[in-house]
Amino acid sequence: MYAISLGGEDGAELRPLEPWRAEEFLAHMERGREFIGGHIALPDLVTDLESSRSFLRAYAEKAAADTGRIHGIWTEGGLVGGVLFRTMDVGQGTAEAGCWLEPAAVGRGLVTRAARLIIDWAIEERGIHRVEWRVSAANEPSIAVARRLGMTRDGVLREIYPYRGKRHDMEVWSVLAPEWRAAGRPTGPRADSSAP
């Protein structure tokens, strides 16, 4: 399959995260389980090999139906994080992007670089008009990514979701296709029509 360089000196690449990578995905979750689970439920969903396969299979089905995508971020040959379109409605022109990263890969701009590529692909190749970024109001690193992507904070959904015994606020950020184009996104390599 393809790999797209994320630029930079770290040799980072964006690749499809497919079901055959379930063992690698599970090992990655084990390395980052506590850190990643601080704000998102992904580690609670991927707990063993079967749940890892099932999660990736669900995204393969979303990709086949054109309703979502998932890509991993690799550095030095190892999976360290990922970006995804949790939802994608081409007819409505909307998509919700998201991310995760294990602690060893934090602070290198990997998520921002990867998110730029998938957002550019969604807008320029799939005709998406609005890309949302929904994030726990307590997740400052993810909010910083939304800002770096040039997104606008639309508002806060107060105590919208229960997670690990507590109700959490969720911020909704978005970027519209005309705003994305006016900002000249992305910086760095551009995805072509074969990816993501």
Side-chain angles (χ1 to χ4, degrees):
M1 283 309 302
Y2 66 87
I4 301 170
S5 170
L6 292 177
E9 296 177 14
D10 55 13
E13 294 180 330
L14 188 69
R15 301 179 196 163
L17 198 46
E18 298 174 324
W20 64 271
R21 294 193 179 270
E23 285 184 45
E24 185 177 14
F25 185 51
L26 178 60
H28 158 63
M29 264 315 111
E30 292 299 338
R31 288 190 304 273
R33 186 167 302 284
E34 185 176 328
F35 180 79
I36 296 166
H39 297 289
I40 64 172
L42 179 57
D44 297 346
L45 301 173
V46 179
T47 58
D48 57 22
L49 189 54
E50 184 49 40
S51 61
S52 181
R53 276 195 195 102
S54 179
F55 184 83
L56 295 179
R57 195 175 305 120
Y59 270 92
E61 290 169 5
K62 283 185 177 192
D66 205 21
T67 60
R69 298 283 190 286
I70 190 168
H71 286 78
I73 299 170
W74 275 261
T75 61
E76 300 172 7
L79 178 63
V80 297
V83 290
L84 54 76
F85 284 116
R86 197 182 71 73
T87 62
M88 194 166 87
D89 185 330
V90 176
Q92 291 293 316
T94 60
E96 180 191 336
C99 67
W100 74 93
L101 202 59
E102 65 183 58
V106 169
R108 299 178 356 202
L110 295 169
V111 166
T112 302
R113 289 185 271 163
R116 280 186 180 132
L117 281 172
I118 68 166
I119 291 170
D120 194 64
W121 172 82
I123 289 171
E124 299 302 339
E125 301 296 334
R126 300 302 298 127
I128 297 295
H129 178 75
R130 174 186 168 87
V131 176
E132 285 190 351
W133 191 268
R134 293 177 172 240
V135 55
S136 165
N139 190 346
E140 285 298 325
S142 189
I143 291 169
V145 170
R147 285 188 180 109
R148 284 192 297 274
L149 292 170
M151 293 184 162
T152 299
R153 182 175 177 254
D154 294 334
V156 177
L157 303 172
R158 297 180 308 136
E159 297 187 6
I160 187 72
Y161 69 102
Y163 181 58
R164 295 187 175 178
K166 182 181 174 191
R167 294 201 70 83
H168 296 266
D169 294 348
M170 178 181 291
E171 292 190 11
V172 179
W173 292 72
S174 68
V175 65
L176 305 178
E179 297 165 343
W180 184 260
R181 291 182 185 116
R185 300 285 193 248
T187 58
R190 183 187 159 127
D192 63 28
S193 61
S194 65

